[in-house]
Amino acid sequence: LHAEPLLHPEPQGVIWTALVLDYPGHSFSHLGLFFEGTNARLPNQDLSNSAWVISHSMGVPWVLYDHKDEDAFRVPSALSEIFGHDMNEYSRRARNIVRHLSYQAVGEPSGVHGLFHKYRIDAVTLYALPARGPHGFYSLGRVVESLLRTSNNLLERLHASFFFYLFTAPGEFAEFARYLPPVIILGLAVSFGGLRMFVQTGWIPKRVPSTEKQPQRSLVWAMRDRPVLEVACIMASTYLVGVGTFSIVTSRWTWAELKNSKLHEVIFVSSAPSIALLGGIFVYSRAATSHRLPPTTPALLKAFNLCSLGVVISVIAVANFSLSASVAVLAALPLCLVPVSLHQNHEGYKHGLTAVFVVRRAFALVWLLTISPPGLLIVAQMLEQNVAGSNGTRVLMWLRRMLWESVILKTWFLPLVSTIYLPHILQGLIVCILPL
């Protein structure tokens, strides 16, 4: 992009607010609001509320995005009678929330205004929904003029407002205090589960020989060493694989292959570091040498994995609630359900694996492979081809768009998926393939 420098006149002061107009037709029926920025940044809520109040006072209908009420999914009236509420209103609000979360989870801006947010400039887009009336340039001009005057007349920058909110309907929102705590509590629960398993890996039950005072053999708990160094090396290798995967995904070769619609080749090559790591650990853990991994390695690796995952979920929730909730929904439950055995060396342990344990471990392995980034892409493409009846180009175009936004707009979605989400899934897979 080439542009001439702004020299005449020289800019005076600081830009606080920006307004983007999207007017594709000669007239419109509603004004739609787009407000999401890059990496889940949001403008000050006062700006959005001011636009809604001004539009409403001037008789211009207001919607979120381009959602008209008549286009929403219609819930059968019998459900409204059963629950005593208008279920169609829930349907409309759910559609707005899903659209908002879809933008935030991948860090994608919903319009050109999103580029201003990283410069701390509050910006929104007013989208005029094309129609044969009843509003036109005059109505749009009145709204824009009043909104600019409102922003210009403020003595201070918009400050008595929120930067974390969730619009459910025009003029209505959910405060972050209502939807943020559940995700943070879930992250804390996962971390506490990891800490509990960490404590359990340091103890093992043993039978005490019978004595004259106690003729029956009693069971006591004895301390044992934890293979912290081995687990730390395994975790470090997964993060190195994540960095290598991100380098492959953002390379010129990947972009060229995606332009040629070679999605399967990209998935295979980007998965090569992960496959090599899993294969190497599988062979090494079963090698007939004296340097085998200790038997408590799977349990300790799961403990560290859960502690790390809980911290990631809680920390990301403060900056990007949608991405944090997506990671929690996808990864928290399967990683918690990965089966491990804590008492391999005590006398009551059966060396022959039970069928139930083997089935649980196989189920966890398949589940983790499915929710891994390559697995999700393959599943999405299969659903698009078999359910939607398409040829799979939507997944390909979506991946190209994510790659372009990661390189050009500096979004965090691909780096976080490659260097944080993927290593945690790999750690869960390693727990499943390690011998007991």
Side-chain angles (χ1 to χ4, degrees):
L1 297 178
H2 300 279
E4 296 181 358
L6 183 60
L7 300 178
H8 305 289
E10 295 183 359
Q12 301 291 331
V14 180
I15 300 176
W16 295 120
T17 307
L19 185 62
V20 179
L21 302 180
D22 190 353
Y23 193 11
H26 56 81
S27 58
F28 63 94
S29 59
H30 299 73
L31 276 180
L33 177 67
F34 290 82
F35 53 94
E36 292 87 358
T38 56
N39 298 322
R41 294 185 180 96
L42 296 176
N44 197 300
Q45 192 183 347
D46 280 344
L47 181 61
S48 302
N49 291 341
S50 300
W52 175 78
V53 171
I54 293 170
S55 178
H56 184 72
S57 64
M58 294 185 177
V60 179
W62 187 261
V63 295
L64 288 179
Y65 309 110
D66 52 357
H67 293 167
K68 293 184 179 180
D69 292 345
E70 54 269 21
D71 297 335
F73 175 76
R74 293 294 177 180
V75 180
S77 58
L79 293 178
S80 300
E81 296 177 359
I82 293 175
F83 293 100
H85 298 281
D86 185 9
M87 300 305 295
N88 290 316
E89 183 65 21
Y90 284 98
S91 174
R92 291 189 288 268
R93 292 172 182 264
R95 182 178 58 165
N96 294 331
I97 294 175
V98 170
R99 182 86 174 262
H100 173 71
L101 298 182
S102 65
Y103 284 125
Q104 275 202 321
V106 297
E108 183 180 17
S110 58
V112 181
H113 65 275
L115 304 179
F116 291 93
H117 292 176
K118 63 180 180 180
Y119 302 107
R120 299 191 63 193
I121 299 175
D122 297 312
V124 296
T125 292
L126 299 182
Y127 175 67
L129 275 70
R132 296 184 177 180
H135 304 284
F137 277 107
Y138 179 73
S139 300
L140 180 62
R142 293 178 61 199
V143 173
V144 171
E145 179 189 9
S146 182
L147 182 58
L148 292 179
R149 290 181 180 275
T150 300
S151 302
N152 189 52
N153 289 338
L154 294 174
L155 296 179
E156 300 181 35
R157 188 184 181 186
L158 302 170
H159 64 283
S161 182
F162 299 100
F163 287 92
F164 298 99
Y165 51 86
L166 185 64
F167 275 121
T168 58
E172 300 182 21
F173 70 98
E175 299 179 2
F176 70 94
R178 295 179 179 271
Y179 62 83
L180 192 61
V183 178
I184 297 180
I185 292 174
L186 179 59
L188 293 176
V190 173
S191 296
F192 286 145
L195 292 174
R196 177 176 177 271
M197 182 159 291
F198 176 78
V199 173
Q200 292 176 342
T201 56
W203 298 88
I204 185 172
K206 286 187 177 181
R207 294 285 183 179
V208 177
S210 58
T211 59
E212 296 180 356
K213 297 182 179 180
Q214 190 173 3
Q216 295 182 353
R217 300 177 65 184
S218 60
L219 184 67
V220 298
W221 290 92
M223 295 184 63
R224 61 179 171 182
D225 295 333
R226 298 184 179 96
V228 177
L229 181 59
E230 291 84 348
V231 171
C233 292
I234 293 175
M235 296 183 69
S237 63
T238 60
Y239 288 107
L240 290 177
V241 166
V243 174
T245 302
F246 179 70
S247 301
I248 295 174
V249 172
T250 55
S251 64
R252 293 185 177 180
W253 175 87
T254 301
W255 181 256
E257 292 296 306
L258 291 178
K259 290 182 66 176
N260 296 328
S261 301
K262 296 181 179 180
L263 179 61
H264 293 286
E265 288 81 353
V266 172
I267 293 177
F268 176 76
V269 174
S270 61
S271 303
S274 302
I275 297 174
L277 175 64
L278 294 175
I281 292 179
F282 180 83
V283 173
Y284 176 79
S285 61
R286 287 162 173 79
T289 62
S290 59
H291 301 288
R292 284 188 177 183
L293 295 174
T296 55
T297 302
L300 188 62
L301 178 58
K302 180 181 177 180
F304 284 176
N305 176 259
L306 294 181
C307 291
S308 176
L309 180 65
V311 172
V312 167
I313 292 174
S314 301
V315 171
I316 296 180
V318 180
N320 191 337
F321 164 78
S322 304
L323 181 59
S324 176
S326 301
V327 172
V329 170
L330 285 174
L333 183 59
L335 289 177
C336 289
L337 295 181
V338 173
V340 294
S341 181
L342 294 169
H343 312 312
Q344 293 90 338
N345 296 331
H346 79 283
E347 298 176 2
Y349 180 75
K350 296 181 180 180
H351 295 281
L353 296 178
T354 62
V356 176
F357 193 88
V358 173
V359 171
R360 288 178 56 197
R361 174 160 285 197
F363 177 74
L365 182 65
V366 174
W367 195 352
L368 290 175
L369 288 174
T370 303
I371 64 172
S372 64
L376 291 175
L377 288 176
I378 294 174
V379 170
Q381 190 177 39
M382 292 176 58
L383 291 176
E384 182 183 354
Q385 293 175 348
N386 300 325
V387 178
S390 178
N391 56 358
T393 56
R394 293 183 181 178
V395 176
L396 183 65
M397 297 301 296
W398 178 85
L399 186 58
R400 288 179 58 184
R401 190 172 74 250
M402 293 299 103
L403 179 58
W404 183 88
E405 292 175 353
S406 175
V407 176
I408 304 301
L409 302 183
K410 307 300 180 183
T411 57
W412 301 340
F413 178 70
L414 282 184
L416 288 176
V417 170
S418 301
T419 60
I420 294 180
Y421 178 77
L422 177 61
H424 283 86
I425 300 300
L426 288 176
Q427 293 163 21
L429 292 172
I430 293 172
V431 172
C432 293
I433 66 176
L434 286 176
L436 294 176

